[in-house]
Amino acid sequence: MSEYRISRSTPESTVGLIGAAVAVLVLATLPWWDSDGSLQTPLIVVLYYLALAQMWNLLAGFAGLVSVGQQMFVGIGIYTMLQVAEVIGLDPFLAVPVAGMVAAVLSLPVAAFAFRLKGGYFAIGTWVVAEVLRLLVTESGTHLRGGDVRSLTRDSLGGYSLEMRTNLTYWLALALAAGATAIVVFALRSRLGLALRAIRDNESGARGLGVDVTRTKLIVWVVAAFWTGCTGAVILLNTNSATAASAFSVLRWTALVIFIAVIGGVGSTTGAIIGVLVYWFLDEQLEDAENWRFIILGAIAAVMALVAPRGFYGLLQRWRPLQFFPVRRRLVKRDSVGEPT
Amino acid sequence: MVALLEVAGLTKSFGVKVVDDLSLTAEAGDAVGIVGPNGAGKTTMLNLIAGDLVPDAGEVVFEGVNVTRMAAGKRCHAGIARTSQIPRPFEQMSVFENVLTGAVFGAGTPLAPDVALDIAVDSLRRTGMLGVANTRAGALPLLGRKRLELARALATQPSVLLLDEIAGGLTEGEVVELAETIRRIRADGTTIVWIEHIVHALLAVVDRIMAMSFGQKIAEGDPATVMNSPQVQEVYMGMAPE
């Protein structure tokens, strides 16, 4: 037995764990205490945005995969849902993981193309692929009818009351948000996370130490595609209808997600949570601002990028280096809490 | 019996020939020093051996296997580790996490967490870094960064360790200390191939020196003989042979 061990806990990690558990519990019981649904309706959106932001953060903040094409996986999720529920007739709530699986499978050929591109070219490349998919779905004629508004009909949703549907959608959104956060935290604490953090700091150095960089990135890419695809399906359950333009919207499913991740703090799970809360607040304030909404959000993002490039989480870190979901490993002597000497 | 590392006819051109028909052999347990003026192609040669570059001609044979076109990560798994002239640690990670990365991924096969931990601790101890294990790597001074390069490479459990001017930029006292660390690593059985301008540091460790100029080998052999040879005196000190 070694005389050293690895410790990950920090004084505030207990707070993080208990806080997360309480938050999930309170949110899960919301349908019973928020009887008029005034919180539930906006929270569904906030929760699926958190799921999208955590996944984008995992890709861009850790694996160096700055994707501007995540809307392709949302769109794939939405159209898979429409096909599986409306054409095959599977229960839409059971179809959510199917949407994720289709997105994961289709992410492989996209990776085969996009992984050849570096940095900014990767960003543009993923965007181009997403746009091509949007156009293909739009022009698919009677197959996917992407040019028309398509909805989940009474046939496929027949067994559910409106209240039950809303509650199930809400719980799914909660599961996606909490699951996304947990996936990122646990991935970062694992061997994969060690590789990811090394890649983030110095990719060629990581390669030289035997880290399989491509394989590590591919795992993250496929996991993010799966989770983003599932999120797309839940987005459809919430909005109920979609067109190719709305399903593959770069503005909604990538630009806003990047906004959330960036103002919260790229490369941090806590940052994504802060980011989505800030976005929620701003969105409520700007409800009647129409086009000004995006101008103001854009201006805020630009100012944040200059003043606090590491987002609100970075500002918090400057004040106190708190780690609520610690991923760092500290080397400590067994049977002691002190530093090794 | 095959040599541990056998480099034959290695050639690499970037417009001009930077490494030109170069050969070098290292038996297990050897410590070879490489000297030569700036631009002699030393680092390029190291990059070709470590797999960061692919040669135009020639081959690199390691433990009897031709690794000339093998990726750097695979060569690391096979047992070739290197340090860089300009240390580039994983800055946001701690010293310990840097070294643990080498231990976990350098072996090529998944190690049990306890085994990787022991290897990392051992590498930290051998390089004198145990006391700063939980320091952020980006906060280290130059000597610490150089030692971390060494610790990280050592954690991959290499049979051959390629060092690129690891003593450069250090104070006299630090150079002596670092050379002693490298001498001990060699004594523990790791083969050393070391590029260095600070000759007395090399002399404390190596038992053979190869001198390079314009990509070619100009002398090789016993350190004193090589350093005093007219060819080396000419290119190194700018002295014409008498």
Side-chain angles (χ1 to χ4, degrees), chain A residues 30-52:
Chain A
L30 179 120
W32 288 284
W33 51 266
D34 175 49
S35 46
D36 65 348
S38 62
L39 264 180
Q40 192 181 33
T41 311
L43 262 177
I44 291 174
V45 178
V46 168
L47 288 169
Y48 66 60
Y49 265 114
L50 179 56
L52 294 175

Side-chain angles (χ1 to χ4, degrees), chain A residues 2-37:
Chain A
S2 168
E3 62 180 300
Y4 291 95
R5 63 182 177 86
I6 292 173
S7 162
R8 288 200 183 81
S9 64
T10 60
E12 61 276 13
S13 64
T14 321
V15 177
L17 194 64
I18 294 173
V22 169
V24 169
L25 207 67
V26 168
L27 288 171
T29 56
L30 179 120
W32 288 284
W33 51 266
D34 175 49
S35 46
D36 65 348

Side-chain angles (χ1 to χ4, degrees), chain A residues 1-6 191-195 197-212 216 310 327-332 334 338-341, chain B residues 52 72-74 76-77 80 88-94 96-98 100-102 104-107 109-111 114 117-118 121 124-125 130-131 133-134 152-153 156:
Chain A
M1 202 204 263
S2 168
E3 62 180 300
Y4 291 95
R5 63 182 177 86
I6 292 173
R191 264 169 60 94
L192 183 80
L194 199 62
R197 293 171 58 212
I199 291 168
R200 177 172 69 165
D201 282 359
N202 178 358
E203 187 169 323
S204 71
R207 201 172 267 130
L209 288 181
V211 175
D212 191 336
T216 306
R310 300 206 53 213
V327 294
R328 294 181 201 153
R329 296 164 169 80
R330 294 178 67 256
L331 184 66
V332 293
R334 268 181 206 281
E339 300 285 307
T341 44
Chain B
D52 296 318
K74 289 261 162 56
C76 172
H77 295 161
I80 302 176
R88 279 183 308 171
F90 307 127
E91 304 234 347
Q92 301 301 322
M93 295 164 76
S94 72
F96 167 61
E97 289 174 321
N98 268 265
L100 188 66
T101 305
V104 168
F105 297 101
T109 49
L111 298 177
D114 272 0
L117 174 64
D118 285 342
V121 169
L124 288 169
R125 186 176 284 131
L130 203 48
N134 294 321
R152 219 163 61 161
T156 67

Side-chain angles (χ1 to χ4, degrees), chain B residues 20-44:
Chain B
D20 189 1
D21 193 23
L22 198 81
S23 298
L24 174 71
T25 302
E27 305 285 347
D30 275 3
V32 186
I34 294 166
V35 298
N38 289 327
K42 306 184 297 294
T43 296
T44 304

Side-chain angles (χ1 to χ4, degrees), chain B residues 211-232:
Chain B
M212 288 176 69
S213 178
F214 294 109
Q216 291 176 322
K217 184 195 291 187
I218 54 168
E220 186 179 3
D222 165 69
T225 315
V226 168
M227 293 315 292
N228 291 320
S229 68
Q231 300 96 310
V232 172

Side-chain angles (χ1 to χ4, degrees), chain A residues 8-317:
Chain A
R8 288 200 183 81
S9 64
T10 60
E12 61 276 13
S13 64
T14 321
V15 177
L17 194 64
I18 294 173
V22 169
V24 169
L25 207 67
V26 168
L27 288 171
T29 56
L30 179 120
W32 288 284
W33 51 266
D34 175 49
S35 46
D36 65 348
S38 62
L39 264 180
Q40 192 181 33
T41 311
L43 262 177
I44 291 174
V45 178
V46 168
L47 288 169
Y48 66 60
Y49 265 114
L50 179 56
L52 294 175
Q54 292 290 19
M55 284 302 135
W56 189 83
N57 193 25
L58 179 63
L59 288 174
F62 288 97
L65 296 168
V66 182
S67 169
V68 187
Q70 289 311 96
Q71 69 275 17
M72 80 176 94
F73 301 118
V74 173
I76 290 167
I78 287 174
Y79 275 88
T80 304
M81 182 65 136
L82 283 168
Q83 292 302 102
V84 169
E86 295 294 312
V87 180
I88 301 174
L90 185 67
D91 183 300
F93 294 97
L94 299 178
V96 172
V98 179
M101 277 183 270
V102 172
V105 170
L106 291 177
S107 77
L108 292 171
V110 178
F113 159 71
F115 276 30
R116 293 166 199 274
L117 308 170
K118 299 275 167 246
Y121 297 97
F122 177 84
I124 303 290
T126 49
W127 191 355
V128 168
V129 172
E131 282 298 293
V132 169
L133 276 177
R134 178 179 68 79
L135 291 170
L136 284 175
V137 172
T138 307
E139 301 299 328
S140 64
T142 54
H143 297 289
L144 293 171
R145 293 190 285 115
D148 307 335
V149 177
R150 284 185 65 185
S151 306
L152 289 173
T153 57
R154 200 171 287 280
D155 283 347
S156 58
L157 288 164
Y160 297 96
S161 68
L162 182 62
E163 190 193 358
M164 195 60 196
R165 255 180 67 188
T166 313
N167 286 346
L168 279 174
T169 305
Y170 169 77
W171 281 319
L172 279 171
L174 177 61
L176 285 173
T181 309
I183 285 172
V184 177
V185 171
F186 285 106
L188 290 177
R189 289 172 67 120
S190 70
R191 264 169 60 94
L192 183 80
L194 199 62
L196 279 173
R197 293 171 58 212
I199 291 168
R200 177 172 69 165
D201 282 359
N202 178 358
E203 187 169 323
S204 71
R207 201 172 267 130
L209 288 181
V211 175
D212 191 336
V213 174
T214 308
R215 181 169 163 274
T216 306
K217 288 186 173 188
L218 190 63
I219 291 171
V220 168
W221 176 253
V222 174
V223 167
F226 174 81
W227 213 255
T228 305
C230 289
T231 308
V234 172
I235 289 170
L236 181 68
L237 285 172
N238 188 47
T239 58
N240 200 36
S241 57
T243 62
S246 74
F248 289 86
S249 164
V250 64
L251 184 64
R252 286 193 201 178
W253 313 131
T254 297
L256 274 180
V257 170
I258 294 177
F259 173 83
I260 290 167
V262 168
I263 60 164
V266 176
S268 147
T269 37
T270 315
I273 296 171
I274 299 172
V276 85
L277 293 176
V278 172
Y279 169 69
W280 185 13
F281 171 78
L282 290 173
D283 197 51
E284 299 260 299
Q285 306 308 309
L286 298 172
E287 212 183 346
D288 306 318
E290 292 177 10
N291 281 337
W292 280 98
R293 182 167 162 256
F294 288 109
I295 295 172
I296 293 168
L297 289 180
I300 290 171
V303 171
M304 279 298 285
L306 290 171
V307 180
R310 300 206 53 213
F312 281 106
Y313 182 72
L315 291 176
L316 181 72
Q317 291 286 294

